[in-house]
Amino acid sequence: MRITQALRRAVQTQAHTRATLCGDREQNWETLEARVARLAAGLRALGVTEGDRVGILALNSDRYLEVIYAVAWAGAVANPVNIRLAPGEIAYTLEDSGARVLFVDATFAPMLPALRAAAPSLAHVVYTDDAGLPESCHAYEALIAEHARIADAEVGGDAIAGLFYTGGTTGKPKGVMLSHDNLMFNTLNGLPALDYDASAVYLHAAPMFHLADMSNTHCVTVVGGTHAIIPRFDVEALLAMIARAGVTHTTLVPTMINLLLQSGGLALHDLSSLRRMLYGASPMPEALLLRAMEALPNTRFTQGYGQTEAAPIISFLPPEWHYAGSPKLTSAGRPAYGVEAVIKDERGAEVARGTVGEICARGNNVMQGYWKRPEQTADTLRDGWLHTGDLGFMDEDGFIFVVDRVKDMIITGGENVFSVEVEGALYQHPAVQEAAVIGVPCAQWGERVHAVVVLKSGAEASAEEIQQHCRGLIAGYKVPHSVAFRAEPLPVSGAGKVLKTELREAHQTA
């Protein structure tokens, strides 16, 4: 399978229907494909060949969509950059991937001098906005206008389509290699679960770099629906676009849903078109979900559980289980049709129903591995199974319940935060003797990052000083939301490992 076959099918079946709506720009599928083919020609003119990596660092737009398909049309590999990373982390992902070309918009163009210095592999930068062309950048529209369309390279199958960087326990993001088959197989898993057809109008409100949103991108394209796009999540912009475009589907993380409910704007807009809400990427408090269902009674809710390494869907909780008193409401649902999921113990054996173990999955959606990290790949893909690092159990009906994470990963606002990375930043503060980072429940963000710090003898530091120190080293969403100081050493096991379970219990009772 190929990513571009979704685009070509849309043109074949829905050539003259609306493909994108973004600001005051609107185009049909025939026009979109022509622009993609010409942009791919522009990439080839810049020296991009099959397998080369191309980065995109931008807010949501119709041009973001064009870049994703143009990179595939040229036979290259996309690196959709996490816009929430710190500049140093962004530079690392570009250099680690070996990106030759970077598409950037006005929001992130000020980073270019630092990015170019830190990522010498970058040979060209394409500026995606119309005004304020930075020095030594190619103009996006000129790159399309100056080149005739080329034929689809028809690269697909096991060839890598994208590198999607996710957090790493070493403190450095690692690139998840997803093939064309991985992404398109995930698309086929999503179509029946999310009720997509040619009438679908999907709103890109979550960031388009994130697979929670991008998994819907190919679903909408393959059926020839419409991509309605706002630059970033904003309650008023979201509500206005739903009413304007007749949006039928969207994806929001729990944090966004909470902000939407708190806004008071639901009653001010016509939301009658919204028939499906996909949520996931972080824990959804049951009380919040119930409030959302009550506030949007004509919208059918679906939970998607997965991770980047699974492209990303492992299981769905469909609408029929979304009701007050549902015995499955707190579950992650059942495995998607093309995914096999089991719960395993530490020896790799499947456990009995109702027994907690590690959630493992396999299917054609599972990644090829981590870019240039064979040891971590071998540790995650064992015996043909993706080991998710999540603890959970499966009930007698095949529903998966996630209860904890094997690794100390924190999910805050839909983004993954690894405690080791935050601890590495804390330990760089001259006053810090010991530090441990845990996730604690938070009504707004699902979880918040909480740091427990032991200061050096005679040293002084405030929580605000610790937080400001971290902001210079890691992305803002990774900075501890709260800091607790303790006089005694951190509790450790016989092997010398910090007992984070005790810290969590102490926080719960504090």
Side-chain angles (χ1 to χ4, degrees):
M1 293 188 283
R2 305 182 310 279
I3 285 176
T4 55
Q5 78 188 76
L7 176 58
R8 293 171 67 174
R9 184 189 185 279
V11 175
Q12 187 179 58
T13 62
Q14 304 290 331
H16 303 297
T17 63
R18 184 176 61 185
T20 63
L21 176 62
C22 182
D24 58 1
R25 296 194 297 258
E26 185 173 338
Q27 61 186 327
N28 64 28
W29 284 107
E30 187 175 61
T31 302
L32 175 60
E33 185 203 42
R35 285 173 59 83
V36 164
R38 296 177 74 166
L39 183 57
L43 285 171
R44 287 291 182 88
L46 295 180
V48 173
T49 59
E50 287 188 15
D52 283 347
R53 275 73 63 201
V54 177
I56 176 168
L57 175 61
L59 299 178
N60 296 352
S61 74
D62 50 353
R63 292 172 179 173
Y64 201 115
L65 186 73
E66 291 172 351
V67 171
I68 292 298
Y69 285 111
V71 171
W73 197 279
V77 178
N79 173 9
V81 179
N82 183 338
I83 61 175
R84 298 184 67 185
L85 295 178
E89 295 168 315
I90 291 172
Y92 172 80
T93 67
L94 294 173
E95 181 60 18
D96 183 67
S97 68
R100 290 182 48 78
V101 175
L102 175 66
F103 287 84
V104 68
D105 67 5
T107 300
F108 300 99
M111 291 186 185
L112 284 176
L115 295 179
R116 280 181 162 135
S121 62
L122 280 179
H124 299 280
V125 176
V126 181
Y127 183 66
T128 62
D129 279 295
D130 294 322
L133 181 67
E135 184 179 353
S136 302
C137 289
H138 302 274
Y140 184 88
E141 288 299 327
L143 197 62
I144 293 175
E146 293 168 1
H147 295 90
R149 64 178 296 154
I150 60 172
D152 182 359
E154 297 193 352
V155 171
D158 288 337
I160 304 304
L163 287 177
F164 299 85
Y165 278 82
T166 186
T169 55
T170 62
K172 296 290 187 182
K174 54 185 183 292
V176 174
M177 298 186 291
L178 295 179
S179 69
H180 288 259
D181 276 353
N182 292 154
L183 292 169
M184 291 307 295
F185 195 78
N186 180 79
T187 299
L188 297 180
N189 281 333
L191 288 173
L194 298 172
D195 188 30
Y196 277 117
D197 58 27
S199 70
V201 180
Y202 176 79
L203 176 57
H204 295 270
M208 292 176 71
F209 75 81
H210 201 299
L211 275 168
D213 185 82
M214 191 173 291
S215 62
N216 292 274
T217 294
H218 303 306
C219 287
V220 177
T221 296
V222 78
V223 299
T226 298
H227 296 272
I229 305 168
I230 56 177
R232 53 161 65 92
F233 173 78
D234 174 84
V235 170
E236 181 56 34
L238 178 142
L239 293 172
M241 182 60 89
I242 292 175
R244 172 191 172 193
V247 168
T248 62
H249 293 66
T250 194
T251 299
L252 299 178
V253 301
T255 301
M256 297 175 181
I257 292 175
N258 194 21
L259 292 172
L260 180 63
L261 296 180
Q262 293 178 6
S263 70
L266 291 176
L268 304 178
H269 297 268
D270 179 8
L271 308 181
S272 59
S273 64
L274 188 63
R275 65 179 189 237
R276 188 62 70 96
M277 174 77 75
L278 176 65
Y279 66 93
S282 66
M284 170 69 93
E286 184 177 3
L288 173 60
L289 179 55
L290 290 171
R291 290 201 304 273
M293 291 160 50
E294 182 179 4
L296 295 168
N298 298 318
T299 301
R300 305 183 77 200
F301 284 74
T302 300
Q303 180 186 167
Y305 163 71
Q307 57 182 206
T308 303
E309 290 85 345
I313 290 298
I314 292 174
S315 65
F316 286 108
L317 182 67
E320 54 264 31
W321 292 102
H322 283 78
Y323 59 89
S326 167
K328 313 297 186 184
L329 190 60
T330 58
S331 82
R334 289 169 165 147
Y337 288 140
V339 177
E340 184 178 1
V342 297
I343 313 299
K344 295 192 171 192
D345 62 20
E346 294 178 353
R347 298 168 298 170
E350 185 174 357
V351 302
R353 297 293 176 95
T355 302
V356 173
E358 184 174 9
I359 302 169
C360 298
R362 64 182 177 187
N364 289 343
N365 57 313
V366 172
M367 69 170 181
Q368 306 295 295
Y370 296 117
W371 177 254
K372 299 191 297 187
R373 300 203 180 186
E375 291 184 0
Q376 286 181 296
T377 297
D379 184 57
T380 302
L381 301 179
R382 303 197 303 271
D383 302 321
W385 292 88
L386 168 66
H387 288 249
T388 67
D390 288 337
L391 291 173
F393 65 90
M394 183 178 287
D395 71 9
E396 292 297 331
D397 298 315
F399 287 78
I400 298 168
F401 289 76
V402 182
V403 297
D404 202 352
R405 285 168 286 282
V406 176
K407 300 174 184 177
D408 292 310
M409 185 177 73
I410 303 161
I411 304 178
T412 178
E415 295 291 342
N416 295 345
V417 177
F418 280 85
S419 60
V420 170
E421 183 179 4
V422 184
E423 288 161 3
L426 289 167
Y427 273 104
Q428 293 183 52
H429 192 286
V432 173
Q433 176 70 35
E434 291 184 293
V437 171
I438 58 174
V440 297
C442 174
Q444 181 177 7
W445 302 106
E447 288 183 307
R448 59 182 170 85
V449 182
H450 178 71
V452 181
V453 173
V454 179
L455 297 177
K456 295 177 180 177
S457 178
E460 295 182 357
S462 65
E464 292 75 15
E465 181 183 341
I466 295 291
Q467 291 166 326
Q468 187 61 35
H469 161 80
C470 290
R471 288 190 184 96
L473 300 172
I474 53 178
Y477 68 89
K478 301 176 183 178
V479 173
H481 291 210
S482 54
V483 181
F485 296 93
R486 54 185 284 157
E488 65 275 15
L490 297 175
V492 295
S493 69
K497 294 183 179 180
V498 175
L499 296 173
K500 292 188 176 181
T501 301
E502 289 190 15
L503 296 178
R504 294 188 186 99
E505 291 174 352
H507 183 82
Q508 295 292 340
T509 58

